[in-house]
Amino acid sequence: MVKELMHDPIFLAGKAEIAGEDDLPIAQDLLDTLLAHKGSCVGMAANMIGVKKRIIAFLDESGRVPTYTVMLNPEIIKKDGAYDAEEGCLSLLGGPRPCKRYKSIKVRYQTTEMQVRIKTYTGWTAQIIQHEVDHCDGILI
């Protein structure tokens, strides 16, 4: 179900809690909401729909065919190649803001089947994931 976007910076600055199997309906709502905004957004974290759980959904361009991916409890375990970027966010008013990102990241996460995976991402997809993991950690750009 498509949810309303959260714009309260105090709520968004709170850290998200670990997600479990009972939170899979939230993951689906997050994906539905992202797809409803796909013309202006490439990633979302659950707190953007008002739920403080470590769940992200994003456009994954790392394969041959772009797909939408959902991660539960994503954790960046390795980063390499720092660079300066500017990013905007549907939850925050105003234009793009400066931030530091990494060209390559290694992420440990759970699938919607609750299986643990570790995968390396680079480029644009890595940047999207970093932005959404920051949301989970209560970091606003």
Side-chain angles (χ1 to χ4, degrees), residues 58-79:
F58 60 94
L59 177 60
D60 183 351
E61 296 182 343
S62 65
R64 280 186 264 162
V65 177
T67 58
Y68 285 89
T69 298
V70 173
M71 291 180 173
L72 282 73
N73 305 311
E75 178 186 1
I76 298 171
I77 56 175
K78 186 177 180 184
K79 343 178 199 193

Side-chain angles (χ1 to χ4, degrees), residues 17-37:
E17 300 171 6
I18 297 296
E21 200 166 353
D22 292 345
D23 298 313
L24 290 176
I26 297 165
Q28 186 60 56
D29 289 347
L30 183 63
L31 183 59
D32 292 346
T33 305
L34 174 58
L35 292 172
H37 292 277

Side-chain angles (χ1 to χ4, degrees), residues 26 35 49 68 87 96 98 120 131 135:
I26 297 165
L35 292 172
I49 60 168
Y68 285 89
E87 296 174 355
T120 298
H131 180 103
H135 271 295

Side-chain angles (χ1 to χ4, degrees), residues 48-118:
M48 292 175 69
I49 60 168
V51 182
K52 286 189 182 179
K53 291 289 184 171
R54 287 190 75 85
I55 306 170
I56 67 172
F58 60 94
L59 177 60
D60 183 351
E61 296 182 343
S62 65
R64 280 186 264 162
V65 177
T67 58
Y68 285 89
T69 298
V70 173
M71 291 180 173
L72 282 73
N73 305 311
E75 178 186 1
I76 298 171
I77 56 175
K78 186 177 180 184
K79 343 178 199 193
D80 189 46
Y83 66 96
D84 293 324
E86 281 195 354
E87 296 174 355
C89 182
L90 282 183
S91 287
L92 302 175
L93 300 175
R97 295 172 172 90
C99 57
K100 179 185 262 186
R101 295 292 179 226
Y102 295 86
K103 293 177 186 175
S104 174
I105 59 170
K106 185 181 282 190
V107 184
R108 179 179 25 240
Y109 63 96
Q110 288 173 287
T111 67
T112 53
E113 291 78 32
M114 304 309 293
Q115 297 173 333
V116 175
R117 297 279 189 261
I118 296 175

